[in-house]
Every structure is written in C-alpha cells, then in structure tokens.
C-alpha cells in the first residue's frame, strides 16, 4: 500500500493536519492498517520536498495544515490509473518453507502443508467474523475483509495444489551431501 498516495488522496478532499490524516487513513482502510503518526509526518515532508503538497500555518508540525498541489493531484491521478505490479513477491515465506521442507530428512511435507492450511483457514474464519460483525455501511472494512479473504483463499488453493502434486510424486530422500575432507587446522598436523 502506498501511504504517500493515500495521503495525497485524503488531501485531495481539502487541507488537513497530520493527526487528522492519520485518523482518516486508518478509518478509510477499515482500521486494519495502523499508521504511525511519525510515518505520516515523514511522508508529508517528502511530499512537500517533492512539490506534491504545501503547508500553511505556523508553529509546530501538529498545527501545520497540508494541501495538495496541482503536481500532487497529477501524481495521484497517475497512480490511481496505473495498474499495480502483479509479479509475485521475490520471497514468499510459505513457498520457501515448503521448498526447504522437501529437502529436510524426516520431515513429513504433507503435515507441513496441513499445518499451514489449518492456520490460513483459521485466519479466514476470523476475517469472516469481522465482516459479519461490521456495520452494514462500513464499506471500507468490508472491502478490506473481502480482499484478505480472497488472498487467503488463493493460499489455500496453492497448498491444495501442492499437496496434489506431491502425492503424485514419489517422495525421495534428499541427496546426501558429499563428504569433503576437512582441511587440517595447522599444516604440521598433516600425517605423511
């Protein structure tokens, strides 16, 4: 999530001070992404440095109000219309765990898959309860919960597919690491 662009979006509604931006960010994202007020002010400083926002008001930073500039509005519009990069993350911890588990002697890979599947399903159940308990008009929370449920469903589907693929393959023990002679600690320890 781009905090920078989210702050520009909030400022497109009108001038605001940092604490209000933090509060509105959290409420508009269904209160599932807490935002540190320090991060808000650091991001606002970057936006000001880059000419995307300007400040008015004097004194300490909590009294300053920020407003979006025309360059900031153009940046926001461009970001909103640009599809996000959908390539997979370079390191997905669950995928790495499964790949590593395939190589570890004595590990039941199917048990590993089941453990992770159970955990993801429990998290899905929590999001389903959150969504059910939310106010009917809390659209941001519903959208966040839906997005997370779909993401988690994809993980369960991947775990299921991995399980099917592994059942089709005979599990073989990982190749043993070839023994390499150790170098003696000191040249005088070599026996002839």
């Amino acid at each position: 999530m781009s905090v920078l662009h989210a702050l520009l979006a909030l400022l497109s509604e009108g001038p605001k001070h940092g604490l209000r931006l933090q509060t509105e960010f959290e409420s508009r994202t269904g209160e599932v992404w807490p935002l540190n007020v320090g991060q808000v002010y650091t991001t606002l400083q970057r936006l000001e440095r880059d000419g995307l926002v300007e400040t008015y008001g004097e004194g300490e930073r909590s009294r300053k109000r920020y407003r979006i500039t025309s360059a900031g509005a153009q940046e926001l519009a461009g970001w909103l219309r640009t599809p996000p990069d959908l390539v997979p993350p370079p390191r997905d911890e669950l995928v790495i765990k499964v790949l590593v588990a395939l190589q570890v002697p004595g590990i039941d890979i199917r048990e590993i898959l089941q453990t992770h599947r159970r955990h993801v399903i429990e998290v899905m159940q929590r999001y389903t309860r959150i969504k059910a308990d939310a106010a009917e008009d809390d659209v941001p929370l519903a959208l966040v919960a839906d997005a997370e449920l779909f993401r988690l469903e994809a993980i369960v589907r991947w775990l299921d597919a991995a399980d099917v693929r592994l059942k089709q393959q005979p599990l073989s023990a990982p190749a043993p690491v070839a023994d390499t002679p150790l170098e003696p600690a000191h040249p005088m320890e070599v026996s002839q």
Side-chain angles (χ1 to χ4, degrees), residues 60-88:
E60 57 191 61
R61 70 181 186 184
S62 64
R63 295 190 190 270
K64 282 185 183 177
R65 292 174 56 89
Y66 297 83
R67 65 178 155 224
I68 193 168
T69 62
S70 60
Q74 289 174 348
E75 172 67 24
L76 175 61
W79 177 76
L80 289 171
R81 288 175 177 80
T82 303
D85 190 7
L86 297 178
V87 296

Side-chain angles (χ1 to χ4, degrees), residues 74-190:
Q74 289 174 348
E75 172 67 24
L76 175 61
W79 177 76
L80 289 171
R81 288 175 177 80
T82 303
D85 190 7
L86 297 178
V87 296
R91 293 189 180 120
D92 182 314
E93 186 176 353
L94 180 56
V95 174
I96 292 170
K97 281 184 183 185
V98 170
L99 295 175
V100 167
L102 287 171
Q103 303 302 314
V104 177
I107 292 294
D108 180 354
I109 188 64
R110 290 184 186 95
E111 187 267 329
I112 298 291
L113 294 174
Q114 287 295 356
T115 298
H116 289 286
R117 183 184 289 112
R118 269 191 305 275
H119 173 73
V120 172
I121 289 172
E122 288 170 4
V123 174
M124 288 176 75
Q125 290 168 342
R126 278 185 278 180
Y127 272 98
T128 302
R129 281 191 301 274
I130 288 170
K131 194 169 135 182
D133 294 343
E136 195 172 302
D137 63 343
D138 194 348
V139 175
L141 180 58
L143 290 172
V144 168
D146 285 342
E148 189 60 11
L149 284 166
F150 291 137
R151 185 185 74 79
L152 294 167
E153 181 183 355
I155 293 170
V156 170
R157 291 179 63 197
W158 179 80
L159 289 165
D160 290 344
D163 195 30
V164 168
R165 185 175 303 277
L166 291 169
K167 284 178 182 172
Q168 295 171 350
Q169 299 295 317
L171 288 180
S172 57
V177 178
D179 288 337
T180 55
L182 295 176
E183 298 278 333
H186 189 276
M188 298 304 287
E189 294 176 12
V190 177

Side-chain angles (χ1 to χ4, degrees), residues 22-65:
Q22 177 200 22
T23 304
E24 287 187 17
F25 174 90
E26 290 178 353
S27 69
R28 302 261 181 108
T29 57
E31 298 183 9
V32 295
W33 287 300
L35 185 61
N36 182 307
V37 73
Q39 185 178 5
V40 170
Y41 284 109
T42 301
T43 305
L44 287 169
Q45 287 172 344
R46 280 192 10 233
L47 289 167
E48 187 176 20
R49 177 199 70 201
D50 295 343
L52 303 176
V53 301
E54 58 190 13
T55 60
Y56 63 95
E58 296 298 322
E60 57 191 61
R61 70 181 186 184
S62 64
R63 295 190 190 270
K64 282 185 183 177
R65 292 174 56 89

